[in-house]
Amino acid sequence: MHISRSLVFLSLCMSSVQSAIWQGWSKGRSAGVPPGNTALDDWVEKQEAISLKVILSNINPPGTRRGFFAASLSTSDPDYFYTWTRDAAKVAGVLVHAYDTSRRTDLHDVLIDYVEFQIGTQQTTTLCQCLGEPKFNPDGTGFSGEWGRPQNDGPAVRASTFLLLSQALSQKKYVTNILRPAVYRDLDYIVDNWATPSFDLWEEVLGVHFYTLMVMRRALLQGVAFSRSYEDAIHAANYQGTIGSIEERLESFWSPSRNYILATQDRVRGYEKPSGLDIAIILAANQLSGSIGGSSSSIKDGFFTPDSDKVLATAAALEYSFGTIYPLNQDLPSHLGIAIGRYPEDVYDGHRSSQGNPWFITTSAFTELYYNIILAFKARPTDITVNHINRPFFVKFDSQAVPGKIYVKASDEYNLLLADIAASADRFLATVKYHEQANGSLSEQFNRWTGFQQGARDLTWSHAALISATRARAGRPLA
Ligand SMILES: *[C@@H]1O[C@H](CO)[C@@H](O)[C@H](O)[C@H]1NC(C)=O
């Protein structure tokens, strides 16, 4: 919040909100005072620990089946007390990373429970009668109400997480006997269904989505390496062939006239979004930063990776769009970054339809993207060259960034560019910090006018996204 806006707001509202504002101020969060990286470093360390704690407290709460990952503990307005295959897989991915780096045995057991619960959902009867059933009850049975189904990114993200876990575990028998059949089920489902319309990750649009195809491609890339490790040439060839078809389709989402990647094709049902812009593109790119599939197989091949020209262009378009539509983003103090939402036309306010808001997941995703971009540039042997496609990204840091301009690797100008990108990444994180609750709680959204939290409290994915971003900041992005 900008101070003048807070003051206006302060005079309008109730005491509970007032106390929240005062808490913010007493912690020295007043506008215009750059916190400096040390302050942010301290916060990051504390917040990572809080977020991990919240994630664990949202897993297997009393009365639920072991391995149940609640999307949030909120049971009414909104009721998020379910497990979504997508959310759970993303959260479990963060836990695999934490387990892999800390070897905490409690995380090991949580992950084994996760696998068991998920295998149960693969086999239980659902309305979808397919692996794209999006959400499950706390006892592991399929949700039986009306819903947008199938959602085919779910099995893909789950297969990716299972495959990451297979690398982190030392029990190879478990991997072979338990994980392998589960992974093949999901991957074979992708091979059969990748081109069929399904609901997007926001559960609103039935169509073919860039995001969904990207997570499928990643899972299949991991799957190729995995099946080769079993000398299983048949699965490997099958997955490799599908990757080729998916890649060809993915290329067609680029819009040369708009200079960004469009979210959806073949819309059958759901919102018509005239802009075609969606943060899902950034989430899709962010999963291509770590070194998944082991050291032998890299997904950092430039194919819609964070540093690729088309992703850079799309990021610039999204930032510009959210910068203009949210009142909160007007007259931002210099230490804050633009609050980012899901897509410009969004009307879901966390409870019902009115006006969409910025989210924590999506604002954190920008921090993650920017740090991933830096890591990718550093890993390149070459200079950075501005062209007609990526120019909107570079021009934010350098008004002289015209097509043809070259940042010579390791030159002062190059280093300055990377430092500017890092400072910008930290500003998005400062925005998350500014709008979180004083005790580190992160809901789903924060209000587009006031900045106060809104929607499901302590959304598990919000905390996972925060950790994902801070890991990239630490130079250890999630695989
Ligand atoms: C923060 O405080 C709220 C109550 O105001 C509580 O519901 C929430 O669980 C707390 N979060 C954390 C991370 O302690």
Side-chain angles (χ1 to χ4, degrees):
M1 281 153 288
H2 190 252
I3 277 206
S4 60
R5 187 174 309 285
S6 306
L7 282 173
V8 172
F9 186 65
L10 191 61
S11 63
L12 294 174
C13 63
M14 313 75 62
S15 59
S16 64
V17 182
Q18 278 183 4
S19 76
I21 290 176
W22 289 118
Q23 271 179 7
W25 277 354
S26 66
K27 291 189 79 187
R29 297 187 199 172
S30 50
V33 183
N37 276 335
T38 323
L40 200 63
D41 290 347
D42 291 347
W43 174 79
V44 162
E45 202 181 316
K46 271 192 224 119
Q47 185 61 38
E48 274 195 354
I50 292 172
S51 286
L52 187 57
K53 211 172 124 212
V54 174
I55 287 173
L56 292 175
S57 62
N58 286 3
I59 293 173
N60 202 15
T64 63
R65 194 175 138 181
R66 275 164 73 119
F68 172 75
F69 282 38
S72 157
L73 298 184
S74 175
T75 52
S76 68
D77 196 26
D79 182 3
Y80 278 25
F81 201 59
Y82 299 95
T83 199
W84 271 262
T85 305
R86 161 193 319 108
D87 294 42
K90 290 209 168 259
V91 172
V94 167
L95 296 184
V96 172
H97 187 82
Y99 170 67
D100 205 26
T101 47
S102 72
R103 295 279 143 188
R104 277 176 49 171
T105 47
D106 59 325
L107 297 182
H108 172 273
D109 296 350
V110 169
L111 286 163
I112 298 300
D113 288 347
Y114 163 74
V115 170
E116 194 175 311
F117 186 99
Q118 290 296 320
I119 289 176
T121 68
Q122 281 183 328
Q123 293 167 338
T124 193
T125 309
T126 62
L127 282 189
C128 179
Q129 293 190 308
C130 77
L131 292 174
E133 180 67 37
K135 85 183 209 190
F136 294 85
N137 299 310
D139 64 0
T141 58
F143 175 73
S144 58
E146 210 179 300
W147 210 253
R149 51 171 73 85
Q151 296 179 17
N152 289 343
D153 60 318
V157 190
R158 175 170 57 204
S160 276
T161 296
F162 279 6
L163 287 169
L164 288 177
L165 181 61
S166 76
Q167 291 183 308
L169 290 176
S170 46
Q171 307 107 295
K172 290 305 159 197
K173 250 193 180 150
Y174 176 84
V175 171
T176 302
N177 298 335
I178 308 290
L179 280 178
R180 186 168 65 151
V183 163
Y184 282 172
R185 266 196 291 280
D186 281 338
L187 296 182
D188 292 347
Y189 176 77
I190 294 169
V191 168
D192 292 341
N193 294 285
W194 69 269
T196 312
S198 78
F199 279 85
D200 67 318
L201 81 167
W202 309 129
E203 317 193 276
E204 295 167 340
V205 179
L206 181 61
V208 176
H209 313 284
F210 183 86
Y211 173 84
T212 303
L213 293 178
M214 284 285 279
V215 294
M216 288 172 165
R217 172 182 175 266
R218 176 185 133 153
L220 291 170
L221 281 169
Q222 289 172 268
V224 168
F226 181 71
S227 35
R228 282 195 185 134
S229 75
Y230 284 97
E231 294 177 9
D232 179 349
I234 296 181
H235 275 105
N238 203 7
Y239 299 156
Q240 193 63 56
T242 306
I243 290 169
S245 311
I246 289 180
E247 287 180 348
E248 202 173 305
R249 183 69 186 261
L250 279 165
E251 297 279 12
S252 72
F253 284 73
W254 172 250
S255 166
S257 60
R258 301 199 204 190
N259 203 56
Y260 55 75
I261 299 162
L262 299 172
T264 299
Q265 296 180 350
D266 296 357
R267 188 177 60 89
V268 179
R269 196 138 68 77
Y271 272 162
E272 160 98 69
K273 301 172 188 169
S275 75
L277 272 174
D278 199 312
I279 189 71
I281 309 302
I282 303 307
L283 302 185
N286 273 340
Q287 42 136 29
L288 302 179
S289 290
S291 45
I292 60 159
S295 48
S296 58
S297 145
S298 172
I299 33 87
K300 289 174 274 188
D301 57 359
F303 188 82
F304 295 114
T305 49
D307 59 314
S308 63
D309 293 337
K310 292 172 182 174
V311 169
L312 294 177
T314 306
L318 281 160
E319 211 182 317
Y320 176 79
S321 173
F322 291 121
T324 56
I325 61 176
Y326 295 147
L328 186 73
N329 286 328
Q330 311 316 310
D331 308 317
L332 269 185
S334 61
H335 73 285
L336 295 184
I338 287 173
I340 304 284
R342 300 190 299 176
Y343 51 89
E345 299 86 352
D346 197 1
V347 295
Y348 176 59
D349 67 10
H351 303 276
R352 56 198 63 82
S353 285
S354 67
Q355 276 188 319
N357 295 303
W359 285 38
F360 287 109
I361 294 170
T362 52
T363 306
S364 294
F366 258 81
T367 297
E368 187 174 351
L369 179 80
Y370 275 30
Y371 276 110
N372 284 338
I373 290 169
I374 294 168
L375 291 170
F377 282 159
K378 283 187 176 162
R380 277 189 202 179
T382 52
D383 303 333
I384 299 168
T385 306
V386 180
N387 58 40
H388 285 281
I389 291 175
N390 67 27
R391 180 175 181 271
F393 176 80
F394 290 107
V395 86
K396 288 192 293 142
F397 306 99
D398 175 6
S399 58
Q400 314 291 308
V402 291
K405 166 145 191 176
I406 293 172
Y407 298 90
V408 177
K409 194 163 172 83
S411 67
D412 287 349
E413 207 180 18
Y414 176 100
N415 292 334
L416 189 64
L417 174 71
L418 296 199
D420 281 348
I421 298 173
S424 191
D426 277 358
R427 282 194 288 272
F428 290 111
L429 209 51
T431 293
V432 169
K433 173 176 184 270
Y434 192 62
H435 297 293
E436 72 168 4
Q437 230 163 289
N439 65 0
S441 269
L442 297 167
S443 62
E444 180 183 76
Q445 322 186 354
F446 46 104
N447 187 275
R448 66 155 73 189
W449 294 89
T450 66
F452 286 104
Q453 299 205 17
Q454 197 161 317
R457 69 186 156 98
D458 278 317
L459 187 75
T460 319
W461 188 359
S462 292
H463 289 281
L466 183 283
I467 294 177
S468 223
T470 54
R471 292 288 82 207
R473 184 177 191 264
R476 312 251 344 237
L478 257 67

